[in-house]
Amino acid sequence: MGNCLLRVVHRLSWLACILMTVHAASLQAQTSPAAPGDPAIQSLIDTRKYPEAEALLRDRLKAHETAGSMDSAAAAGDAEWLAFLLATTKRAEEAEPLIRSAVRTRERLGDNKLTGRSLNRLASVLFERRRYDEAEAAAQRAIDLLS
């Protein structure tokens, strides 16, 4: 398991390098999981008002579901935001299905940069859950899309 763990950490480090150097300019406006310019969510998370942010995101996802728009870029962004929030608050098990949904939607929409970023978040969630082989595979897919 030690070698696998080392490989995952190595791949996640590569992702960080890629995101900070090669794609810094193109991803600067996308530093948060939702669409750029989402001040309501960003402000709540920046001020660590996690319960309020979670309630707002869950309401948004419910609205997407009611409207039949769960396969939209906006729904993927909201799911990724909520997954990020859940992972931040040590609820990786809850975060995993949300980030997987965001990855699937982004893949269907054909946005390689956002898919790569979502895969990076998935790798982090899987790493937190100690599923190192899966984390490594997700990190490698992210590297392939982002490099």
Side-chain angles (χ1 to χ4, degrees), residues 4 6 13-14 16 29 34 55 62-63 68 81 83 87 91 93 96-98 108 113-114 118 121 127 132 144-145:
C4 182
L6 184 60
S13 297
W14 265 107
K62 190 177 287 187
W81 257 120
R91 295 184 284 166
E93 187 173 338
E96 185 180 345
L98 290 162
R108 266 194 301 275
K113 288 179 185 171
L114 291 178
S118 294
R121 292 193 193 281
F127 185 82
Y132 302 124
D144 292 345
L145 287 174

Side-chain angles (χ1 to χ4, degrees), residues 102-144:
V103 168
R104 283 190 303 273
T105 299
R106 296 198 191 289
E107 286 174 333
R108 266 194 301 275
L109 295 174
D111 189 328
N112 286 345
K113 288 179 185 171
L114 291 178
T115 300
R117 191 188 62 206
S118 294
L119 283 164
N120 181 33
R121 292 193 193 281
L122 175 60
S124 296
V125 166
L126 293 168
F127 185 82
E128 182 72 26
R129 297 194 67 201
R130 298 177 185 207
R131 291 173 35 205
Y132 302 124
D133 289 337
E134 291 176 76
E136 180 182 14
Q140 185 58 56
R141 283 182 56 210
I143 290 168
D144 292 345

Side-chain angles (χ1 to χ4, degrees), residues 38-118:
D38 189 340
I41 297 297
Q42 186 68 54
S43 175
L44 290 171
I45 288 178
D46 287 348
T47 57
R48 298 177 187 244
K49 294 180 179 173
Y50 300 140
E52 294 93 334
E54 182 177 346
L56 180 58
L57 288 164
R58 289 191 186 279
D59 286 347
R60 285 183 181 183
L61 287 173
K62 190 177 287 187
H64 288 300
E65 190 172 349
T66 300
S69 61
M70 286 302 290
D71 282 341
S72 68
D78 289 339
E80 188 170 338
W81 257 120
L82 184 54
F84 170 76
L85 177 62
L86 293 170
T88 298
T89 57
K90 304 298 183 204
R91 295 184 284 166
E93 187 173 338
E94 279 184 78
E96 185 180 345
L98 290 162
I99 193 61
R100 285 188 184 277
S101 173
V103 168
R104 283 190 303 273
T105 299
R106 296 198 191 289
E107 286 174 333
R108 266 194 301 275
L109 295 174
D111 189 328
N112 286 345
K113 288 179 185 171
L114 291 178
T115 300
R117 191 188 62 206
S118 294

Side-chain angles (χ1 to χ4, degrees), residues 4-23 116 119-121 123-124 127 135-144 146-147:
C4 182
L5 182 62
L6 184 60
R7 286 194 316 265
V8 172
V9 170
H10 177 75
R11 293 201 194 302
L12 289 173
S13 297
W14 265 107
L15 277 170
C17 290
I18 290 169
L19 291 172
M20 287 187 302
T21 57
V22 177
H23 297 287
L119 283 164
N120 181 33
R121 292 193 193 281
S124 296
F127 185 82
E136 180 182 14
Q140 185 58 56
R141 283 182 56 210
I143 290 168
D144 292 345
L146 295 171
S147 56

